[in-house]
């Protein structure tokens, strides 16, 4: 059976461009006593609404996962819709009144009516939450304090990662390109080592990232292992388009020369090299020397890890890159009007570099990317929506 929560959200988004004239009824079945939510009562309620739908030849009925019922229509007037909801209420409650405050704030209201001309955003927000769009990326883990690694632990880890197969710790997350119709297509897959898994494997209870200098040293060692894995055609498999997080020092090393030599030309054209902004700014001269060589070999370059304030401050004409990745954060809502205008003017006015929004884990982040004209997106919420065929 199709996921009705996702199906409802898809339907609602389908009318989002022109919601005028549409109405919806949300019947809060989940909030009545369990004894009254019998299969028989649900069937009778759906049949009553289906009769109204057939009579007017209009409307869609959704039985949500929590057994709430939503009826969306355009041709059925509000009095008829309200009467149908009252009939359903009698099925479940008889002559009793509702005795709860529903999720939309209605007191003692078994159903809520929406005029989507004005109420569309409110119903959309609830639909996104019901489909998991608002919460899919939120974890339940409590932060546990960790101690910092020292030089001795780092030396042991650097030695150990060459002794075992760390391929199972190499993960990937797609970057999607969203077209004008809200459809998503994979642009490339970002390959990355899971720091959490590395910590659990090599130094439980200790943080690999707490000491920046030691962590950078470790990432350069990890570069060697990852490039060795991805240079192997068997390990690379069908990954024709991928991005790799890599240090500038690694790009100038024999390790990368070996990796480059083992890749066929057509494979290089599908590789994006992600370089962190701090690494670039600290090694700008070397970066500028390397980029022409990398481009000549077929690679593309991504400037990684930028914030909104970085975007406002940086002159991208002076940085040669193909992509810029901005990490979404709540700071977007705190930007002054002037800073927001500068950011949007840079994003909307740029074809090269192309901007990519990372950490798209909330509905708000996706709406911002869409309003800013950012078509490349990445995040657990994006994966969630693509998996359920929910349009953007």
């Amino acid at each position: 059976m199709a996921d009705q929560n996702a199906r409802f959200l898809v339907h609602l988004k389908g009318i989002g461009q022109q919601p005028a004239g549409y109405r919806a009824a949300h019947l809060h079945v989940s909030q009545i006593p369990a004894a009254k939510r019998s299969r028989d009562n649900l069937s009778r309620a759906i049949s009553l609404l289906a009769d109204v739908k057939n009579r007017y030849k209009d409307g869609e009925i959704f039985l949500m996962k929590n057994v709430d019922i939503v009826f969306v229509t355009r041709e059925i007037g509000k009095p008829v819709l309200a009467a149908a909801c009252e009939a359903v209420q009698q099925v479940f409650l008889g002559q009793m009144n509702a005795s709860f405050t529903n999720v939309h704030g209605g007191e003692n209201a078994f159903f809520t009516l929406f005029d989507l001309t004005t109420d569309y955003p409110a119903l959309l927000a609830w639909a996104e939450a019901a489909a998991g769009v608002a919460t899919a990326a939120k974890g339940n883990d409590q932060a546990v304090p960790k101690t910092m690694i020292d030089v001795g632990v780092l030396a042991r880890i650097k030695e150990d990662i060459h002794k075992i197969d760390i391929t199972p710790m190499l993960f990937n997350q797609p970057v999607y390109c969203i077209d004008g119709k809200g459809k998503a297509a994979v642009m490339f897959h970002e390959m990355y080592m899971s720091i959490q898994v590395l910590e659990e494997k090599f130094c439980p209870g200790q943080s690999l990232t707490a000491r920046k200098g030691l962590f950078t040293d470790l990432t350069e060692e990890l570069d060697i292992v990852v490039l060795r894995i991805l240079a192997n055609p068997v390990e690379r498999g069908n990954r024709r388009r991928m991005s790799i997080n890599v240090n500038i020092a690694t790009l100038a090393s024999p390790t990368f020369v070996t990796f480059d030599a083992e890749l066929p030309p057509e494979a290089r054209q599908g590789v994006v090299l992600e370089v962190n902004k701090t690494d670039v700014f600290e090694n700008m001269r070397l970066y500028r020397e390397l980029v022409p060589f990398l481009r000549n070999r077929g690679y593309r370059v991504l400037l990684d890890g930028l914030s909104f304030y970085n975007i406002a401050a940086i002159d991208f004409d002076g940085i040669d890159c193909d992509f810029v990745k901005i990490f979404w954060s709540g700071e977007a809502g705190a930007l002054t009007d002037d800073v927001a205008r500068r950011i949007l003017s840079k994003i909307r006015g740029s074809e090269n570099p192309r901007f990519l929004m990372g950490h798209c884990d909330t509905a708000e982040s996706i709406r911002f990317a869409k309003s800013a004209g950012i078509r490349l997106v990445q995040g657990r919420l994006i994966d969630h929506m693509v998996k359920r065929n929910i349009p953007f």
Side-chain angles (χ1 to χ4, degrees), residues 290-301 320-322:
L290 286 170
V291 168
F293 163 77
L294 297 171
R295 287 259 182 76
N296 186 55
R297 298 295 289 172
Y299 302 103
R300 290 175 293 172
V301 180
D320 194 8
C321 59
D322 301 281

Side-chain angles (χ1 to χ4, degrees), residues 365-377:
S365 63
I366 295 174
R367 280 193 280 269
F368 180 90
K370 188 175 181 180
S371 68
I374 299 175
R375 296 178 57 198
L376 301 180
V377 291

Side-chain angles (χ1 to χ4, degrees), residues 122-143:
L123 187 58
L124 177 64
W126 180 81
E128 288 176 336
V133 167
T135 59
K138 294 182 180 178
N140 296 319
D141 297 338
Q142 296 293 321

